[in-house]
Amino acid sequence: MKLNERGLLIVLSGPSGVGKGTVRKALFELEGHDLVYSISMTTRPPRDGEVDGVDYYFVSCQEFEERIKNDAFLEWAEFVGHYYGTPKDKVEDHLKAGREVVLEVEVQGALQVRNKTKDGVFIFVAPPNKEALYRRLLRRGTESDQVIQKRMDKAEREFPLAHKYDYIVVNDEVTNAADRILAIIRAEHARTERSIHKYLEMLEVIEHE
Ligand code: 5GP
């Protein structure tokens, strides 16, 4: 039984190359949840196999900057030469409808959301060690050496920010990490502050609003 009506905003974040995308996909393949993925907008060119409207909405710089002006993003950030942002409209609609929305964002964006909303659950996806992160970025084979180095330098600056999150999930094995995230989501639902009002209403201890 679900006692809270508003959906949870789940913010998956952490350094580039840690495997947030892979973990997020594994999470969506698990049974027993009602998660919606918030598709981000970016000015980065698509990688081979990436599909517009599935992986990202790929837009021009001009279009992105126009949307910044119109306050159309819940958060946005510039990351290694490109813009990335979360379109705001759909996120709020889903939350109001009681669905869980998953954002997959880099660290600056996660911290913007943290400052703006009170109902987010912030999960830092961490690599088991630095070498694993470097190997992942190399193996992906989509970026030049220079870009890989920039992403590693950025990761070094992001590690200490993990203390601003509610949870740290080490991505040692993708399926383990996805299981832990689902367990976190379930536990968050049972939090007293999220469910007490509805529970007392149900028992007619307080009046229905
Ligand atoms: P990539 O170019 O590897 O797809 O993404 C670069 C970084 O941007 C990753 O850490 C990814 O999680 C992050 N990212 C993707 N979408 C968003 C978004 O909407 N907002 C922010 N702030 N970061 C994002």
Side-chain angles (χ1 to χ4, degrees), residues 9-21 24 37-41 56 73-77 79 84-87 91 101-114 121-125 154 158 165:
L9 181 64
I10 322 283
V11 183
L12 291 187
S13 183
S16 163
V18 74
K20 299 187 287 291
R24 188 250 307 162
Y37 177 55
S38 157
I39 302 167
S40 295
M41 198 164 274
Y56 282 106
F73 292 112
L74 175 62
E75 61 71 40
W76 65 272
F79 183 88
Y84 296 82
T86 302
V91 172
V101 181
V102 176
L103 307 188
E104 184 204 311
V105 299
E106 51 68 71
V107 174
Q108 301 167 63
L111 298 182
Q112 283 176 46
V113 181
R114 168 122 255 176
V121 177
F122 293 80
I123 304 175
F124 189 87
V125 183
K154 202 160 176 60
E158 288 170 346
Y165 289 72

Side-chain angles (χ1 to χ4, degrees), residues 41-142:
M41 198 164 274
T42 185
T43 57
R44 164 172 80 58
R47 297 185 182 127
D48 274 354
E50 283 185 332
V51 177
D52 187 36
V54 175
D55 298 286
Y56 282 106
Y57 297 109
F58 295 99
V59 297
S60 66
C61 262
Q62 195 188 359
E63 186 172 344
F64 199 102
E65 284 169 357
E66 198 59 40
R67 283 172 192 260
I68 296 175
K69 262 194 243 149
N70 295 334
D71 193 25
F73 292 112
L74 175 62
E75 61 71 40
W76 65 272
E78 215 176 328
F79 183 88
V80 191
H82 300 291
Y83 286 128
Y84 296 82
T86 302
K88 164 153 97 171
D89 47 356
K90 291 204 183 78
V91 172
E92 187 48 34
D93 291 349
H94 286 310
L95 292 177
K96 270 199 197 137
R99 305 194 74 191
E100 330 291 12
V101 181
V102 176
L103 307 188
E104 184 204 311
V105 299
E106 51 68 71
V107 174
Q108 301 167 63
L111 298 182
Q112 283 176 46
V113 181
R114 168 122 255 176
N115 291 335
K116 269 191 197 168
T117 57
K118 54 176 169 35
D119 54 1
V121 177
F122 293 80
I123 304 175
F124 189 87
V125 183
N129 51 55
K130 282 187 204 167
E131 289 67 36
L133 186 66
Y134 185 63
R135 275 200 311 274
R136 270 194 63 96
L137 283 169
L138 270 185
R139 207 170 46 217
R140 196 152 75 178
T142 48

